[in-house]
Amino acid sequence: MTEASVIIGGGVAGATAALALSRAGRRVDLYERSSSASHKICGEFMSREVSANLRSLGVDPVDLGARPINRVRLVRGNRSVDQPLPFPALALSRKILDEALLEQATSCGVNVIRGKAARRIEQSDDGGFEVSFGSGDSAPARAIFLASGKHDLRGVKRAAPGRQSDYLALKMYYRFNKKKTEHLRWVTELILLKECYLGLMLVEDDRVNFCFVISEERFAKGGGTWQGVLQQFSSESDYVAAYLEGAVPLLDRPLAISRVPYGFVHNPSPEDPPGLWRLGDQIAVIPSFTGDGMGMASCSAVLAANMFLEGATSHEFHRRFSNIVRKQMRVSKPLNSMFFRHSVGQDALIWLASQFPSGVRAIARATRVPEEAMPRID
């Protein structure tokens, strides 16, 4: 038997890579920091390419309760525009999806170790690696697939993305009444506010994924609390206030993450440790409004697994993946800044969407991994 490959992180990227490698007969040890199923900060929008890869791995999102999406609704003030998406999509909570992927990985022979958080990765004298865990023990590895999301590990931290982002991302699940729930049926909704945008979408069991990206300054003006910011939203938007009236929160507290480095793309370097394969948010972080986070996670995982099995190096993989996503980053990063920071840009988006529906579809395509570049699992 070949030496086991080590995967750090059991989200979409890590579990997908584990399944792809295991299907090819490779031994895989996957370490997931959470000991049980947990929610993640994620818009939970899933393109048809991601769904196709999941089904090929034995996980069907529809069977898990995923809700179909075929339209996008843009809202600013008292104006809204509803347009068809140029592709079908699904919405499913990461808690359900990630757990199904890990269960499938276990059934396919992946050695899944739960509740063990990697803290540091160091190169060893023989050219391999030593992974240190929070529990105090360690494990050797020849190849590591780093899929730890936005959590950096000592020894292999991502390079600074330039000017530090001041974005905060927060999320809650709600139960809406029947009328409001039906208003979101088949739709992913983007509500534009000052220095903030909200995303709403139905996931399984008709729960509402209510998430938003906000500047640190605006969050502080809301008292630095979830309720304070929601009061701000309601005071400036009757549309948001109507959603929140009578809404039942389904989590004890909101999920939150700070300093999200939107636009980050790993810059391949000769100093990169050979044998360390970065996946998902460890190689690129797409702005949330694109809805392509899971697409990039799936793409990086399948491409890395395929290239590893073909005998390519991690350096070759990083260069190839970075070249794939740089174009969409060049489009999505300035759009994110314009729509997020400037009311003029937000007004322009609403006008564009109402007057030129094809422009919205063009933006949707330009900010996603190109369909022809999305690798498939045989």
Side-chain angles (χ1 to χ4, degrees):
M1 292 289 287
T2 58
E3 189 171 11
S5 297
V6 169
I7 296 180
I8 307 297
V12 173
T16 296
L19 279 162
L21 293 172
S22 179
R23 282 162 55 104
R26 299 302 180 103
R27 291 175 55 208
V28 180
D29 292 337
L30 184 152
Y31 294 91
E32 164 54 36
R33 66 202 307 262
S34 65
S35 56
S36 59
S38 59
H39 292 290
K40 306 285 176 62
I41 291 281
C42 181
E44 300 174 335
F45 181 95
M46 192 184 309
S47 69
R48 65 183 175 189
E49 294 83 16
V50 175
S51 301
N53 278 342
L54 291 172
R55 284 192 291 271
S56 71
L57 293 171
V59 176
D60 191 333
V62 175
D63 290 344
L64 297 173
R67 292 296 187 253
I69 296 173
N70 59 23
R71 306 196 323 275
V72 58
R73 181 184 298 129
L74 304 175
V75 180
R76 173 166 165 77
N78 59 3
R79 293 173 295 168
S80 67
V81 181
D82 197 317
Q83 298 288 0
L85 284 170
F87 42 76
L90 294 170
L92 180 68
S93 76
R94 287 287 304 278
K95 181 178 181 178
I96 296 296
L97 176 59
D98 291 6
E99 200 63 18
L101 282 168
L102 289 178
E103 289 176 1
Q104 180 70 357
T106 299
S107 69
C108 291
V110 175
N111 181 27
V112 177
I113 302 101
R114 301 292 298 263
K116 201 163 187 177
R119 302 298 188 193
R120 177 187 292 273
I121 295 177
E122 295 179 315
Q123 283 191 276
S124 50
D125 293 338
D126 62 358
F129 300 94
E130 192 76 16
V131 184
S132 301
F133 299 94
S135 53
D137 57 346
S138 62
R142 300 298 302 178
I144 293 180
F145 295 82
L146 185 58
S148 56
K150 296 176 178 66
H151 301 282
D152 280 325
L153 273 64
R154 292 192 294 273
V156 290
K157 288 186 177 181
R158 293 170 294 180
R163 189 179 71 84
Q164 182 62 60
S165 166
D166 66 345
Y167 297 117
L168 300 174
L170 296 97
K171 172 178 171 179
M172 171 62 75
Y173 292 104
Y174 283 109
R175 179 76 65 196
F176 285 177
N177 65 27
K178 184 177 180 179
K179 182 178 180 180
K180 295 172 187 174
T181 299
E182 290 306 314
H183 186 62
L184 287 170
R185 187 78 62 194
W186 300 91
V187 175
T188 178
E189 187 167 85
L190 188 66
I191 304 173
L192 305 175
L193 300 172
K194 181 181 178 181
E195 294 189 19
C196 175
Y197 53 79
L198 288 71
L200 284 79
M201 193 166 56
L202 296 179
V203 294
E204 71 281 352
D205 194 31
D206 281 351
R207 293 181 300 144
V208 178
N209 178 334
F210 182 100
C211 56
F212 59 86
V213 176
I214 189 170
S215 70
E216 291 181 347
E217 182 179 1
R218 166 146 194 186
F219 187 71
K221 289 179 180 177
T225 68
W226 173 264
Q227 289 301 328
V229 171
L230 293 190
Q231 289 174 6
Q232 275 191 342
F233 295 164
S234 295
S235 66
E236 66 185 78
S237 170
D238 292 339
Y239 191 83
V240 176
Y243 267 141
L244 292 174
E245 184 179 0
V248 178
L250 302 179
L251 300 178
D252 292 336
R253 59 180 182 273
L255 307 175
I257 190 168
S258 62
R259 298 297 174 100
V260 186
Y262 288 139
F264 166 77
V265 178
H266 175 64
N267 187 24
S269 165
E271 284 72 43
D272 288 344
L276 179 72
W277 304 67
R278 294 182 182 272
L279 310 180
D281 284 343
Q282 281 292 311
I283 193 168
V285 182
I286 189 76
S288 296
F289 83 91
T290 67
D292 205 33
M294 281 200 274
M296 294 184 70
S298 178
C299 178
S300 64
V302 177
L303 181 62
N306 289 347
M307 293 184 69
F308 177 79
L309 294 169
E310 292 166 359
T313 67
S314 58
H315 291 171
E316 291 170 329
F317 159 69
H318 290 148
R319 285 196 296 272
R320 182 170 171 185
F321 184 81
S322 297
N323 288 335
I324 289 173
V325 301
R326 284 193 191 282
K327 181 178 179 180
Q328 69 180 124
M329 287 297 190
R330 284 196 294 268
V331 174
S332 63
K333 191 173 181 180
L335 283 174
N336 182 76
S337 178
M338 181 174 70
F339 299 155
F340 182 86
R341 297 289 183 190
H342 307 296
S343 59
V344 172
Q346 294 177 349
D347 290 335
L349 175 62
I350 297 295
W351 181 85
L352 173 69
S354 63
Q355 300 297 316
F356 303 99
S358 60
V360 176
R361 294 193 287 274
I363 289 174
R365 292 191 187 96
T367 55
R368 309 189 69 75
V369 174
E371 186 172 354
E372 64 274 12
M374 181 69 78
R376 297 290 188 267
I377 300 172
D378 296 328

